[in-house]
Amino acid sequence: MSAPGTSDEIFQWFRGQKTQISYAIKDTFPLLYLLRDKKRISEEDFKKWCDKVIARPNDISKVVYDVLESIQTNVLAIKEIFCKENLEAYQNLQPLYESLENVLQQAQNSSAAVPGSSKVLQGEMKKPASPGKQQRKGMQNNEIQVLSVEVRTLKVRCGKSQGVFYKNRFTAGESRKCIKDSDGKWFTPSEFKAKGGYKSSKGWRSCIRCVGISLEALIMWGEILKPKPESSRMQKPDDLCAVCCEERGH
């Protein structure tokens, strides 16, 4: 799952949805195993809850509810519930995921109006005082590396759609087809937003995300350069060559 918003709003939403989430989980795998493997719950608690389900299979919803109670103040653990593996394993989680996405989009829109107030699901991140000095409290090292300004492409997601975002193509003009999906098809950001099921949403910048962070935030932080004005989209041959080489991984 990947969606920015304030921690308070995430926790508030989660507290109100724990019962519905517990009913959506019909088996301990992969939920408990992922939480254990990512060290969101302890090995001792993992075994305790698995033993309870083995002893009383019909009580799995109550056991899951206890698990949710134990992680309700851990943003990273809440994020793990809505990871790709869980969404594929528990189909009834999808509507809840979409509900959370809507809450977080509203939170992102609200926080954008207050300078320096942006926070994300992986942990709090304040708007930097100057480009390149992001405060990434709570993020994992591999996530920080993914967001490095030197990285030329980003794995992005919008709803159910996943793709690769090419920074150079986007910088040449935001109406360029700069996102390639797993089938090799190219999309503009607006087209990719529609493909992900957010056609009616106003802005693609808050809908498309990388490791849970909106493109809007990455542009604001300087990790993605702002696109050139449409009037200057005509590229020189050398520029086109550079984009081509980048897409081939040269």
Side-chain angles (χ1 to χ4, degrees), residues 8-250:
D8 287 344
E9 284 163 337
I10 293 169
F11 295 146
Q12 183 178 355
W13 177 90
F14 187 70
R15 284 193 294 269
Q17 300 296 329
K18 283 184 297 183
T19 300
Q20 287 84 347
I21 295 171
S22 65
Y23 278 121
I25 307 298
K26 304 298 184 182
D27 194 358
T28 56
F29 185 86
L31 176 68
L32 261 63
Y33 292 79
L34 286 169
L35 290 173
R36 187 271 310 270
D37 294 347
K38 296 292 182 67
K39 298 183 179 180
R40 310 306 182 201
I41 61 175
S42 68
E43 186 72 32
E44 181 182 355
D45 284 340
F46 169 79
K47 291 178 179 178
K48 175 186 70 177
W49 284 316
C50 284
D51 288 344
K52 283 186 176 181
V53 172
I54 292 172
R56 295 186 175 183
N58 293 332
D59 287 347
I60 185 169
S61 293
K62 293 181 180 179
V63 172
V64 172
Y65 188 89
D66 289 342
V67 175
L68 302 181
E69 283 263 284
S70 73
I71 64 171
Q72 65 180 351
T73 58
N74 186 329
V75 176
L76 288 173
I78 294 173
K79 173 199 171 198
E80 204 64 50
I81 293 172
F82 298 99
C83 69
K84 179 182 176 183
E85 292 81 3
N86 284 334
L87 288 173
E88 289 178 352
Y90 313 115
Q91 297 299 315
N92 291 335
L93 270 184
Q94 186 63 39
L96 293 163
Y97 169 67
E98 292 172 358
S99 169
L100 178 57
E101 286 265 287
N102 290 333
V103 169
L104 297 181
Q105 282 186 39
Q106 292 173 8
Q108 174 68 22
N109 292 337
S110 298
S111 64
V114 182
S117 66
S118 178
K119 300 179 182 179
V120 296
L121 198 59
Q122 283 82 2
E124 295 185 358
M125 293 180 67
K126 296 181 180 179
K127 182 179 178 181
S130 59
K133 294 183 179 180
Q134 290 77 10
Q135 296 180 7
R136 297 184 173 98
K137 182 180 178 182
M139 293 189 70
Q140 299 178 16
N141 289 335
N142 63 326
E143 292 173 328
I144 294 174
Q145 180 61 35
V146 164
L147 296 180
S148 172
V149 71
E150 288 82 15
V151 175
R152 296 177 177 180
T153 61
L154 300 172
K155 290 183 179 180
V156 294
R157 185 185 186 111
C158 182
K160 296 181 180 180
S161 297
Q162 299 183 57
V164 178
F165 178 89
Y166 287 80
K167 291 183 178 180
N168 273 8
R169 275 179 166 258
F170 173 75
T171 303
E174 66 177 60
S175 62
R176 282 181 60 89
K177 293 183 182 292
C178 59
I179 302 175
K180 183 165 65 173
D181 70 4
S182 57
D183 295 326
K185 296 180 180 178
W186 287 94
F187 298 85
T188 66
S190 294
E191 291 170 343
F192 190 71
K193 172 176 71 74
K195 182 177 185 290
Y198 290 91
K199 186 176 181 179
S200 59
S201 298
K202 290 185 178 180
W204 55 261
R205 296 188 181 213
S206 60
C207 294
I208 303 174
R209 302 184 179 97
C210 173
V211 295
I213 302 175
S214 68
L215 294 189
E216 182 176 40
L218 294 177
I219 293 170
M220 179 179 68
W221 293 331
E223 301 292 3
I224 298 175
L225 297 179
K226 292 182 179 180
K228 296 176 182 177
E230 294 301 307
S231 59
S232 63
R233 279 187 58 197
M234 187 67 69
Q235 290 179 299
K236 298 177 183 178
D238 288 347
D239 295 332
L240 291 170
C241 220
V243 172
C244 249
C245 289
E246 179 181 45
E247 291 166 7
R248 293 172 183 169
H250 296 167

